[in-house]
């Protein structure tokens, strides 16, 4: 009994410290509000059902107008999609995306030179392309090469949740969600990287385990 | 010929490099994400940076017990022996799945977090992932428990998605 109470108290303290965080927006002190803060990750079958699309969003909660206009990908931050196709949760392939002078460069899928927390950029990858980063207010610029497609630029944040009411519940100020709820992320933007690749490049069939990382140049 | 001439002008640069951006250096991890909301909901406040810099293959051993404690604090029914969610997962099994924060994606068909039939075969833009997670945390064995906590009643994005690449809607 005593132990249960302690655990509950500890968890409530932990959870009550969340302010405006959700899918992965502002999830941890080291990245909160910074250029390496991943807000969301998606992976789904493309319009061409032979492909998988990967989406990484960073720098969430950008307001319309100057807030989004002034947001930019950090050239010191590598966005890395990790793909495990052998079931051990260790990456067998990576797709790396990094900005340089108005373009997003995409390397891979390629076996990384090393797995884990540190990466070098696989500039020798057979699969690679670059795409102009779409300026705010312009139509999406898409580049295709070797069956791959890439996009980078500001987009509407695709995440939706009544995070405000969730926070009220966790704080003990409410006992249920409202109906209808209110989307806390309505009207906000993110910076998105979308890369679509043929399934044949990442295993062909079966199930992959995938996750996205942000890594800063040392 | 031109390679020789180039090298003559760059005696201390043995390998001639094409002109272009500099991609050299080592990049060290700061953030990572597999499934939505995992770090936010299940990792205690002092451990969030550590979770972001632990490779997924080590996350289960390092964090499953914390996830289980936090799940049972959020949804105390899970502490009862034999209690499960609608996937038939008890507290230990469910948190064992979640603590290894990777997204499982099928290369063989439908890709969705949960669509009533397929479970954890990907994450599509329109998937109502928060309601799925609330149902699995609070909804009990048949999604009927705690109805006020099991759905945030925000079921769709504020802008329609595109059917074609890049799929995400234009910014506000």
């Amino acid at each position: 009994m005593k132990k249960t109470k302690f655990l509950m108290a500890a968890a409530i303290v932990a959870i009550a410290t969340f302010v405006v965080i959700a899918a992965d927006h502002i999830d941890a002190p080291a990245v909160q509000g910074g250029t390496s803060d991943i807000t969301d990750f998606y992976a789904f079958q493309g319009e061409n059902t032979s492909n998988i699309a990967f989406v990484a969003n960073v720098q969430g909660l950008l307001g319309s107008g100057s807030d989004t206009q002034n947001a930019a990908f950090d050239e010191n931050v590598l966005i890395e999609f990790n793909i495990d196709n052998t079931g051990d949760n260790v990456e067998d392939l990576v797709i790396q995306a990094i900005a340089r002078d108005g373009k997003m460069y995409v390397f891979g899928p390629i076996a990384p030179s090393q797995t884990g927390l540190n990466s070098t950029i696989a500039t020798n990858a057979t699969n690679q392309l670059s795409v102009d980063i779409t300026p705010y207010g312009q139509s999406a610029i898409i580049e295709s090469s070797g069956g791959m497609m890439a996009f980078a630029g500001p987009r509407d944040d695709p995440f939706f949740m009544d995070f405000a009411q969730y926070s009220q519940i966790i704080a003990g100020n409410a006992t249920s969600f409202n109906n209808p709820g209110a989307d806390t992320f309505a009207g906000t933007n993110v910076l998105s990287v979308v890369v679509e690749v043929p399934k044949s490049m990442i295993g062909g069939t079966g199930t992959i385990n995938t996750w996205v990382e942000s890594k800063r140049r040392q | 010929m031109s390679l020789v001439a180039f090298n003559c002008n760059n005696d201390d640069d043995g390998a001639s490099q094409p002109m272009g951006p500099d991609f050299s250096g080592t990049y060290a991890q700061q953030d990572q994400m597999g499934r939505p909301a995992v770090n936010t909901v299940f990792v205690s406040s002092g451990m969030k940076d550590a979770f972001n810099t632990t490779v997924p293959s080590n996350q289960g051993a390092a964090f499953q017990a914390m996830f289980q404690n936090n799940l049972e604090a959020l949804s105390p029914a899970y502490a009862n022996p034999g209690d499960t969610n609608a996937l038939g997962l008890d507290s230990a099994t469910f948190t064992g799945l979640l603590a290894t924060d990777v997204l499982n994606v099928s290369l063989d068909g439908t890709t969705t977090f949960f669509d009533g039939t397929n479970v954890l075969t990907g994450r599509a833009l329109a998937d109502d992932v928060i309601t799925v997670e609330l149902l699995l945390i609070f909804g009990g064995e048949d999604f009927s428990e705690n109805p006020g906590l099991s759905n945030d009643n925000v079921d769709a994005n504020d802008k329609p998605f595109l059917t074609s690449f890049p799929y995400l809607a234009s910014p506000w």
Side-chain angles (χ1 to χ4, degrees), chain A residues 25 39 58-65 67-69 136 154-158 185-192, chain B residues 158-159 169-172:
Chain A
H25 304 67
T39 67
V58 296
Q59 302 186 40
L61 300 167
L62 299 170
S64 184
D67 204 16
T68 302
Q69 182 81 49
Y136 183 47
R155 292 271 106 181
D156 162 56
D157 188 342
F185 300 85
T188 68
N189 300 322
V190 291
L191 297 185
S192 295
Chain B
D158 53 342
K159 271 196 177 188
S170 61
W172 291 95

Side-chain angles (χ1 to χ4, degrees), chain A:
Chain A
M1 187 61 113
K2 207 171 184 180
K3 191 180 179 193
T4 308
K5 274 186 179 165
F6 169 75
L7 293 174
M8 287 184 67
I12 289 166
V13 168
I15 291 161
T17 56
F18 308 151
V19 187
V20 187
I21 41 181
D24 200 74
H25 304 67
I26 315 181
D27 62 305
V31 294
Q32 185 169 333
T35 54
S36 65
D37 188 12
I38 297 165
T39 67
D40 248 314
F41 173 51
Y42 301 80
F44 52 90
Q45 184 167 269
E47 181 183 23
N48 175 343
T49 58
S50 298
N51 295 344
I52 294 285
F54 295 92
V55 177
N57 293 334
V58 296
Q59 302 186 40
L61 300 167
L62 299 170
S64 184
S66 61
D67 204 16
T68 302
Q69 182 81 49
N70 295 332
F73 290 102
D74 187 334
E75 295 194 359
N76 287 314
V77 173
L78 173 67
I79 295 168
E80 188 171 78
F81 299 101
N82 290 253
I83 297 159
D84 158 39
N85 54 27
T86 56
D88 60 1
N89 298 309
V90 177
E91 62 272 31
D92 301 292
L93 297 166
V94 294
I95 302 168
Q96 299 175 324
I98 190 159
R100 289 286 180 274
D101 194 24
K103 288 179 182 288
M104 185 64 69
Y105 289 80
V106 178
F107 301 99
I110 185 174
S113 58
Q114 58 183 335
T115 64
L117 300 177
N118 294 310
S119 290
T120 55
I121 297 179
T123 52
N124 62 337
T126 304
N127 307 311
Q128 58 175 280
L129 73 164
S130 64
V131 59
D132 287 343
I133 295 168
T134 300
Y136 183 47
Q138 295 190 18
S139 299
I141 300 168
I142 299 164
E143 201 65 52
S144 305
S145 175
M148 294 177 57
M149 286 186 280
F151 164 87
R155 292 271 106 181
D156 162 56
D157 188 342
F159 185 67
F160 49 91
M161 177 185 181
D162 192 341
F163 187 78
Q165 187 65 12
Y166 175 78
S167 301
Q168 291 298 311
I169 293 168
I170 294 298
N173 299 327
T175 55
S176 69
F177 286 101
N178 297 319
N179 194 2
D183 180 5
T184 309
F185 300 85
T188 68
N189 300 322
V190 291
L191 297 185
S192 295
V193 175
V194 188
V195 179
E196 182 162 325
V197 305
K199 292 176 179 177
S200 58
M201 284 186 184
I202 55 174
T205 188
T207 294
I208 59 171
N209 300 313
T210 181
W211 64 100
V212 68
E213 300 165 347
S214 65
K215 292 175 164 172
R216 184 173 293 277
R217 192 176 197 277
Q218 298 304 290

Side-chain angles (χ1 to χ4, degrees), chain B residues 65-151:
Chain B
M66 174 199 291
F67 274 49
Q68 186 168 347
N69 289 340
N70 287 341
L71 175 64
E72 291 174 8
L74 263 179
S75 185
Y78 268 112
N80 300 327
D83 189 82
T84 71
N85 62 25
L87 297 177
L89 305 175
D90 66 13
S91 182
T93 312
F94 184 39
T95 53
L97 170 74
L98 293 173
T100 300
D101 188 20
V102 299
L103 186 66
N104 319 105
V105 180
S106 171
L107 303 182
D108 300 316
T110 304
T111 45
T112 180
F113 206 62
F114 178 66
D115 64 0
T117 305
N118 302 284
V119 180
L120 298 178
T121 62
R123 181 183 177 192
L125 294 169
D127 289 344
D128 190 357
V129 295
I130 292 300
T131 294
V132 172
E133 292 185 346
L134 291 170
L135 283 166
L136 292 173
I137 293 169
F138 297 108
E141 282 76 358
D142 60 1
F143 286 170
S144 69
E145 296 175 20
N146 304 306
L149 296 173
S150 297
N151 190 342

